[in-house]
Amino acid sequence: MDSGLQIGVEKYLFGRDVPSNGIIANIYALDPDKHANSKRDVVIPIGFSGLLQRVDLEPGNYLVEAILPSGNILTQEAEVIDGEWPKVLLEAEDSAHEWHSWQNLMGNVQSKSGYEASTKDDDIPNYDVVLIKMPSFNPRGAPRKASSEWWRWRWPYRYPFLSSTRTAWDRVEAWDRVEASDDDGGSQLHSFVMDYKGDLTRRVPRWWVLVSTDKADRLLVAPTPWFSFDPEHPDREPDEIASELLITKSPDRSIQTSWVIQDLKLGTLLGYLARGAFKDAFKVGSRDSALQMLFGKYENPLGAAAGGYVLIGNMNEDPEKVYWHPWIENLRRDFEWLPDGAIQSAWLRLKQGSLEANRDQVKKDLFQAFDRGIPYYSLGLQWLADGLTLLAVDDEEAANRLKMVQRVSFSADVSSLFTALNLRPY
């Protein structure tokens, strides 16, 4: 075939382009007798350099539809002529600031016109941002008693200690007030880099971020450390990528937060995953990329966990493929600081067979996840609660753990990719 379209999305992304794992597009044939020529789930590039992806198509009229991670849809009609490759460069809306660009792509903040209209109110409060650094919990040395369970699952709800008894918490290594890297009065951006140089299979420090106003508090699991992983250069030392937190201010003192990681291989996949679009996340990363994420667990375990959620969430797409299943077990076994690996191990077993056939191992995995503390991903919190619910019907131990997980889950912001807890209602 010597005809088709060259397709891409134009959007400024802080001077970066996403050439391969970009945006989902559908191409619909408009001619009544050529509907079979339509193509679905094509991955096209996005950026400001005019990158384009060639898509083979029969001559005819087509509608190109690009679905951004935000859920926004861009469309444009085009005609394909035999022997020609016309360009279709769809234009995404501009963001209010350069530092909004990735957040806008993910749907975390409005485009320029809507944002400027929504931030005209002068009575927008200041937000206090505190970074909480805690050592990772080591489950091997954990005492099997209520006090340790209380610390891992109930400490976020004892908010008064944050202002009155901080020094009593010897497990807290440091409290640092964090200044915004960018702030326009209506939103502020914070960037976090752990600069971690240790062994990721051992005890990795855990960071939390507390965002406060006079009416509300939100406690966030910080997705750090996050490392780049290039499967084409596996011997290259990975670089740590900053986790960027956007706080959108509001006159009613409510707190809206969102994370973005400008990972050129995983960034848009994380955006689709954040809104529960498993199929889109699966397609934009492709099975190979999701496998590479999981395979690269020793370089970037948090990215590997994202790949695990995508693969398990799409098991019905390809149920016969099982060669990556042991990698989930490795993620569970080798990263004791990461609850999400144990949660995924449990759900992989549940997807492979009945609860009764796998009850003992599912229980072991879920209890191990519980012992490791609150999951990094909101999806992990949901899957942990769902799994314990299955066990709790006739298991008192599971029921007791479920109560504590539910207490946390009831305060979680389910729209957040990474776990975010509202400590005080507003």
Side-chain angles (χ1 to χ4, degrees), residues 160-315:
F161 85 84
L162 294 175
S163 58
S164 60
T165 60
R166 289 184 182 178
T167 55
W169 285 73
D170 57 1
R171 286 191 177 272
V172 176
E173 288 186 339
W175 302 79
D176 297 326
R177 268 186 174 72
V178 182
E179 298 298 327
S181 57
D182 293 281
D183 189 342
D184 68 352
S187 62
Q188 57 185 224
L189 188 73
H190 297 265
S191 184
F192 299 92
V193 177
M194 188 178 287
D195 195 24
Y196 186 72
K197 303 297 184 183
D199 183 352
L200 291 170
T201 64
R202 297 185 180 275
R203 296 183 62 183
V204 174
R206 188 155 193 175
W207 284 11
W208 301 77
V209 178
L210 178 71
V211 183
S212 301
T213 68
D214 57 347
K215 290 189 176 181
D217 300 291
R218 176 172 286 201
L219 185 66
L220 312 171
V221 175
T224 57
W226 189 285
F227 291 92
S228 63
F229 170 63
D230 188 349
E232 297 177 3
H233 302 90
D235 297 330
R236 183 178 296 172
E237 188 72 19
D239 297 320
E240 186 173 353
I241 300 176
S243 300
E244 296 185 349
L245 173 66
L246 185 73
I247 303 171
T248 306
K249 302 179 182 181
S250 173
D252 68 1
R253 269 65 174 177
S254 63
I255 298 175
Q256 300 176 19
T257 59
S258 55
W259 291 98
V260 155
I261 300 170
Q262 294 185 29
D263 188 325
L264 299 186
K265 293 188 176 296
L266 309 182
T268 56
L269 182 148
L270 295 173
Y272 288 112
L273 186 60
R275 63 182 181 88
F278 280 99
K279 182 180 178 181
D280 289 342
F282 183 72
K283 295 294 183 181
V284 79
S286 77
R287 170 170 285 277
D288 288 343
S289 293
L291 283 169
Q292 288 168 354
M293 292 161 62
L294 188 56
F295 181 74
K297 55 192 169 295
Y298 297 105
E299 286 75 24
N300 184 18
L302 288 177
Y309 283 121
V310 171
L311 289 166
I312 294 172
N314 284 281
M315 278 183 66

Side-chain angles (χ1 to χ4, degrees), residues 76-113:
Q76 184 174 323
E77 292 187 19
E79 182 182 5
V80 175
I81 299 173
D82 188 25
E84 297 185 10
W85 294 83
K87 297 179 180 179
V88 177
L89 192 59
L90 300 119
E91 295 184 14
E93 290 186 85
D94 292 332
S95 56
H97 306 287
E98 290 184 355
W99 48 278
H100 273 189
S101 57
W102 277 80
Q103 295 278 353
N104 176 239
L105 173 64
M106 303 303 169
N108 300 332
V109 66
Q110 297 180 74
S111 298
K112 182 176 181 180
S113 58

Side-chain angles (χ1 to χ4, degrees), residues 397-419:
E397 287 183 291
N400 290 335
R401 285 167 171 78
L402 176 61
K403 289 177 183 178
M404 281 183 272
V405 174
Q406 286 177 328
R407 189 181 183 193
V408 170
S409 299
F410 291 155
S411 295
D413 178 0
V414 296
S415 68
S416 175
L417 175 61
F418 300 103
T419 302

